[in-house]
Amino acid sequence: MNKEKKTKASIDNIYTLNGKVPLGHAVPFGLQHILAMFVANIAPIIIVANACKLSNGQIAMLIQSAMLIAGIGTLIQLFPIWRVGSGLPIVMGISFTFVSILCFIGTTYGYETIVGAVLVGGILEGTLGLFAKYWLKWISPIVAASVVTAIGFSLLSVGSASFGGGSGSENFGSVQNWIIGTVTLLSCILFNLFAKSYFKQLSVLFGLVVGYILAVCMHQVDFSALANTSIIAFPHIMPFKMEFNLNAIVSVTLIFLVSATETIGDTSALASSGLNRDVTVKETTGSIACDGFVSALSACFGCLPITSFSQNVGLVTMTKIVNRFALATGAIFLILCGLFPKLAALISIMPQSVLGGAAVMMFSSIVISGIQLITKEPLTMRNITVVSVALGLGYGIGANSTVLSGLPEGIQLIFGGSGIVPAALVAIILNIALPKED
């Protein structure tokens, strides 16, 4: 009977990993996942590109590539190629983890250096992912929790800068930016409070739409970038000439290792909450390898690193919908979006204050997620020491990087770009060095 149910298309199969689901029913569930991550997928591109002073046309091109890469990455996670991919209902997107360090590298060396560092770092993470069974024991849950919290803290200043209109902009901190950012933020909060069921996942999207419309009414949006944009086009391969800087490569590679700890947590949480079982080493290995190798592919399109999206893990936890075919329809939708530059251009001209209003909420929620992960572990003196020292040094150095001014430039770039790297390294070292408590 179970075998017949698996081979026959049924709406009930949305709760099974491999069951067949009618296309008409699969598409809405796939789109739901895409809507939950669509904004978060393009936000890192807009923030980093604006920090690097890229043109609206270049930003539109990168948004187009981001949607294509997210779709490809999700399909590989769902349906692995060799040992790359987990085979689990994981949705991939451009990572927020790298935003702080990439803004620092971009303003120091240029966007070309970012792309070169992402290519090398992605290949290294993918290779390490294939051998993850040999080093997974070093990444305990308390280490992952410390890293997630550090990531959230490091992004708070990025979100507030966008709220004001973007650092360096002519009208930074203006009344118009404050009005637009505040209305966007309030719209996100109110929608989250009053929306029902899974519609709550769309609060950020709703806030951005309201903020965008308000910005248009206040004449804060320049539509001239749409004039020369084609309706259909393929993303550009190698749109930037890659430059390779050792300091940038080392720094970005370390963040890739940090990102891997997030992926481990996401993969484990999804297997536990969505499939009611423990994650396997093969699934974790494939998930990390997909992160790395698809990030390297992303660099070939001039784009930023890709990773698993925690908000989609939360959506699986809430709905229990784990069907790979249903999620694949959403991935295909992302790929199709990547072929329409008009859509990317329309998003690229979004004022920074609109994005900032939503980013304040998104980035703060990462801090809360980290705190929740910390409190899931026993608050022993050992774990308290690991978290407090890691966050104390990590956030402290990230907030005041001038403390490293007397050290070599390479050290400043690796540890001063954000507080993520020092927090992760300290957490891992203390987790290894401190004796286990009985």
Side-chain angles (χ1 to χ4, degrees):
M1 187 73 177
N2 289 335
K3 186 176 180 181
E4 182 182 349
K5 187 175 182 179
K6 287 183 180 179
T7 56
K8 184 179 179 182
S10 169
I11 183 62
D12 294 334
N13 287 333
I14 59 172
Y15 302 108
T16 65
L17 194 62
N18 299 310
K20 293 182 179 179
V21 179
L23 181 62
H25 290 100
V27 169
F29 291 110
L31 289 179
Q32 173 180 292
H33 271 277
I34 300 311
L35 290 173
M37 58 78 69
F38 194 87
V39 174
N41 181 52
I42 61 176
I45 289 286
I46 298 174
I47 293 171
V48 174
N50 276 294
C52 297
K53 308 300 182 185
L54 298 186
S55 67
N56 283 334
Q58 289 174 313
I59 296 174
M61 175 191 66
L62 293 178
I63 291 172
Q64 184 185 359
S65 297
M67 292 187 284
L68 175 72
I69 291 297
I72 292 173
T74 300
L75 285 178
I76 293 175
Q77 281 284 23
L78 294 170
F79 306 101
I81 299 174
W82 186 51
R83 292 166 59 192
V84 180
S86 63
L88 296 175
I90 293 174
V91 176
M92 304 288 283
I94 303 300
S95 175
F96 271 118
T97 305
F98 295 80
V99 168
S100 296
I101 191 66
L102 293 185
C103 286
F104 186 79
I105 292 172
T107 54
T108 305
Y109 298 109
Y111 194 83
E112 295 80 4
T113 302
I114 288 177
V115 179
V118 170
L119 176 68
V120 177
I123 293 173
L124 290 174
E125 188 202 12
T127 304
L128 284 172
L130 296 176
F131 299 96
K133 65 180 180 180
Y134 299 108
W135 54 267
L136 278 175
K137 58 185 177 182
W138 294 338
I139 311 297
S140 68
I142 200 65
V143 171
S146 301
V147 169
V148 172
T149 309
I151 290 168
F153 279 131
S154 74
L155 289 171
L156 293 180
S157 60
V158 177
S160 61
S162 293
F163 192 96
S167 297
S169 63
E170 294 181 359
N171 63 342
F172 182 73
S174 66
V175 175
Q176 291 91 337
N177 285 330
W178 269 96
I179 293 173
I180 293 171
T182 302
V183 170
T184 302
L185 176 59
L186 288 175
S187 298
C188 292
I189 295 172
L190 292 174
F191 190 89
N192 189 267
L193 286 174
F194 295 107
K196 303 296 182 183
S197 186
Y198 59 79
F199 286 108
K200 287 180 178 290
Q201 303 292 332
L202 307 180
S203 60
V204 171
L205 183 64
F206 176 79
L208 287 175
V209 171
V210 172
Y212 204 149
I213 293 173
L214 176 62
V216 171
C217 294
M218 294 176 65
H219 306 289
Q220 298 296 306
V221 181
D222 180 11
F223 289 102
S224 61
L226 299 177
N228 299 319
T229 306
S230 57
I231 298 176
I232 300 176
F234 290 100
H236 295 74
I237 298 177
M238 296 291 185
F240 299 93
K241 182 181 179 181
M242 294 185 185
E243 295 182 5
F244 300 95
N245 178 286
L246 182 60
N247 292 333
I249 290 171
V250 172
S251 182
V252 169
T253 299
L254 288 173
I255 299 293
F256 266 112
L257 299 181
V258 171
S259 178
T261 66
E262 282 188 280
T263 300
I264 292 168
D266 285 343
T267 308
S268 177
L270 194 146
S272 174
S273 60
L275 301 174
N276 298 315
R277 63 169 174 80
D278 291 333
V279 69
T280 66
V281 173
K282 181 180 178 182
E283 289 167 342
T284 302
T285 296
S287 189
I288 298 171
C290 183
D291 261 27
F293 289 130
V294 178
S295 291
L297 175 65
S298 180
C300 295
F301 286 89
C303 217
L304 305 186
I306 193 171
T307 191
S308 57
F309 262 32
S310 299
Q311 53 262 57
N312 292 91
V313 176
L315 194 55
V316 169
T317 301
M318 184 176 70
T319 64
K320 303 299 181 184
I321 296 170
V322 295
N323 186 262
R324 294 194 296 173
F325 175 70
L327 267 71
T329 61
I332 293 171
F333 174 77
L334 273 176
I335 292 173
L336 292 175
C337 285
L339 301 177
F340 293 92
K342 283 284 187 187
L343 176 61
L346 191 63
I347 296 170
S348 71
I349 60 176
M350 179 190 302
Q352 280 281 291
S353 53
V354 176
L355 183 63
V360 167
M361 186 171 177
M362 287 191 293
F363 295 164
S364 300
S365 68
I366 297 175
V367 177
I368 300 302
S369 296
I371 293 172
Q372 289 174 332
L373 289 173
I374 291 171
T375 55
K376 282 183 179 180
E377 299 302 308
L379 293 180
T380 62
M381 185 53 64
R382 179 183 185 277
N383 285 348
I384 290 173
T385 301
V386 170
V387 174
S388 58
V389 176
L391 292 182
L393 277 176
Y395 184 66
I397 293 174
N400 186 20
S401 58
T402 55
V403 72
L404 303 172
S405 58
L407 300 178
E409 181 184 357
I411 300 295
Q412 293 183 48
L413 179 60
I414 294 168
F415 293 97
S418 72
I420 302 172
V421 172
L425 289 181
V426 169
I428 291 171
I429 291 171
L430 289 178
N431 184 57
I432 295 171
L434 294 178
K436 301 287 191 297
E437 295 181 347
D438 296 328

